Amino acid sequence: MPSVVFQALLILLPLSGGAAALAVTPQPVVRLKALAPVESGRWQLKPYDGNGPARSICIAEAASLLQLQHPGANCTRFVIDDQPAIATVHYTCPGNGHGRTTIKVETSRLLDISSQGIAANAPFNVRYEARRLGGC
């Protein structure tokens, strides 16, 4: 059974007309087994399809690679799969879109990242080779 990065407490509140509202309360972060060996530092993200230049980002923790199209956004995450070398997470950023990201860990310094979803009211579908370059 998949583990949950943010467990949600769902509370249905009756409203007028028989409608219901949904309240979500995020819980503490659960560490992903797949990302445990991934090192922090400066990473180069190179599109697999060759469209667009490689870019460099600095990360303090590997989990930030899950939301490349929503950097810094406050999103809830649900783990779909977490194996020793691969993790898939769905995330939702209220008012800012959502995504589903799969990270395959080749080594602690080489990753295959694929992500699709909606950002800035537009669909995205990206795949990167992520390679650690060194410290920030």
Side-chain angles (χ1 to χ4, degrees), residues 14-20:
L15 298 175
S16 62

Side-chain angles (χ1 to χ4, degrees), residues 10-23:
L10 304 178
I11 304 170
L12 293 177
L13 303 171
L15 298 175
S16 62
L22 183 65

Side-chain angles (χ1 to χ4, degrees), residues 41 43-48 55-59 61-73 75 77 89 91 93 96 98-103 111-120 124-131:
W43 286 76
Q44 178 186 60
L45 303 174
K46 187 167 99 176
Y48 267 98
R55 63 182 172 130
S56 175
I57 62 170
C58 188
I59 62 164
E61 62 177 43
S64 57
L65 296 169
L66 293 167
Q67 295 176 210
L68 292 172
Q69 302 304 116
H70 298 88
C75 308
R77 297 178 184 165
V89 173
Y91 63 91
C93 312
N96 198 19
H98 59 87
R100 176 184 170 130
T101 301
T102 298
I103 298 179
L111 311 173
D112 178 345
I113 302 172
S114 60
S115 187
Q116 53 276 326
I118 303 290
F124 66 88
N125 185 7
V126 295
R127 185 172 175 209
Y128 298 105
E129 174 189 86
R131 187 175 300 271

Side-chain angles (χ1 to χ4, degrees), residues 65-90:
L65 296 169
L66 293 167
Q67 295 176 210
L68 292 172
Q69 302 304 116
H70 298 88
N74 187 19
C75 308
T76 56
R77 297 178 184 165
F78 295 95
V79 176
I80 296 167
D81 191 19
D82 184 19
Q83 299 175 35
I86 188 168
T88 300
V89 173
H90 180 273

